[in-house]
Amino acid sequence: MGRGGSAAAATALVCALGMTALPEAAHAAPADPVPRPDSDDGSPGSGGKSLEEVRSEIDGLYRKAEKATDAYNLARERQTRQEKAIVKIARAVVKAQKEMAGLRKRAGAMARAQYRGGGMPAEARLLLNDDPGDFLDGVTLARKGQQATHGLMSRLERTQAALDRYAESASKEWERLDGSRKKKAAAKKQITAKLAKAQRLESRLEKKERERLRRLEEDKARASQTKWLDTGILRELGAGATATGKRAVAFASAQIGKNYVWGAVGPDSYDCSGLTQRAWAVAGKPIPRTSQEQWRLLPKVGIDEMRPGDLIIYFPDASHVGMYVGSGAMVHAPRPGRQVTVAGAGSMPILGVVRPGGQALGR
């Protein structure tokens, strides 16, 4: 990051921590109604509602879209795994079919040989042999023949059973794949609807109102951060980070200023979990794609044990994630219409903290 980027990040960090001594009037948002005509779809924010009510609805819509984005990303990830599983099964089927063809060819050759011998079992032919030496040699050959026949039949049975299992597995994977595709399509439809509604609400605001809306968002985040800092949490947090954690923090911080785009994993834009996943991948530690899976699968640590590089999971449904960078701040991709930025770690309701590659809580 250049000097300009460093200065911007430092300024954002100071603001995020709620340390600035701005006059109250400088960021207090008026609660007067937004003088907009009623919309034809009855959407709030245009029928005399206050800007705070508009902000609350827009925030709620983006949160719902973010939750649906997690569902979309998870379904897409499962679809990819299922498609790979089907390809793997198909290759195994081709291999088993080739083996089956070879085994059947051998079985046919054995049947033809028996037919040429008059159809008489090898045991009967041995009993009719008058030469003791030939008889003993024949016993050995007969046993080998029996073993070969038994082995061939066993392999035929095993190969057929394998083909049956592959067919059943393929059928189940196709059903799962169809389910994942439907879930992905439903999630995308929900995302599109929520984002479109939020953008309609915001587009109806005049330029001054949109700026006031941004200040309202910042005020709300600042108030939450101040309340979090007032608990004395900074006295308990450590500043140390592993070498891997430092690399993850460096990458995430270098993305500051890039746009939030749902479903994006870089390099030009990100959604919240796309940013954290990419940062840790660059640091050398692959992690799950979605914030919900990151919360479910990564080792949890106490908030007071948080260190740079750890991921902070927000809201009861684990629908948002940011990366702790130290000094009570985190880097995250906030929402559509916003850019990757530094914010207060306590600026949203914290569900918990996870540590990629780290030790779980209580272990």
Side-chain angles (χ1 to χ4, degrees), residues 125-140:
R125 291 198 300 274
L126 283 171
L127 291 173
L128 296 174
N129 195 325
D130 294 331
D131 189 325
D134 288 347
F135 178 82
L136 291 175
D137 290 341
V139 168
T140 302

Side-chain angles (χ1 to χ4, degrees), residues 105-118:
K105 187 176 181 181
R106 285 176 57 189
M110 291 176 70
R112 288 191 295 275
Q114 185 175 3
Y115 177 77
R116 285 193 298 270

Side-chain angles (χ1 to χ4, degrees), residues 332-345:
H332 73 142
R335 68 164 176 84
R338 300 290 184 259
Q339 291 75 40
V340 176
T341 188
V342 179

Side-chain angles (χ1 to χ4, degrees), residues 62-78 183-184 187-188 190-191 260 262-263 271-274 276 288-295 313-314 317-321:
Y62 279 130
R63 284 247 302 110
K64 288 175 183 176
E66 195 163 44
K67 184 178 179 181
T69 297
D70 251 17
Y72 174 89
N73 288 333
L74 185 58
R76 183 173 62 179
E77 199 172 58
R78 285 176 177 168
K183 286 180 180 177
K184 191 176 81 168
K188 186 174 182 179
Q190 187 179 9
I191 293 163
Y260 177 108
W262 76 266
D271 64 15
C272 67
S273 56
T276 54
R289 170 65 180 90
T290 72
S291 58
Q292 292 170 343
E293 289 292 278
Q294 290 170 7
W295 171 244
I313 310 296
Y314 293 99
D317 57 6
S319 58
H320 192 74
V321 60

Side-chain angles (χ1 to χ4, degrees), residues 15 18 42 73 128 181 190 245 268 312 326 336:
C15 293
N73 288 333
L128 296 174
R181 284 172 172 164
Q190 187 179 9
D268 300 320
I312 311 172

Side-chain angles (χ1 to χ4, degrees), residues 320-352:
H320 192 74
V321 60
M323 179 180 292
Y324 185 62
V325 295
S327 302
M330 58 94 172
V331 170
H332 73 142
R335 68 164 176 84
R338 300 290 184 259
Q339 291 75 40
V340 176
T341 188
V342 179
S347 58
M348 292 174 285
I350 296 176
L351 175 62

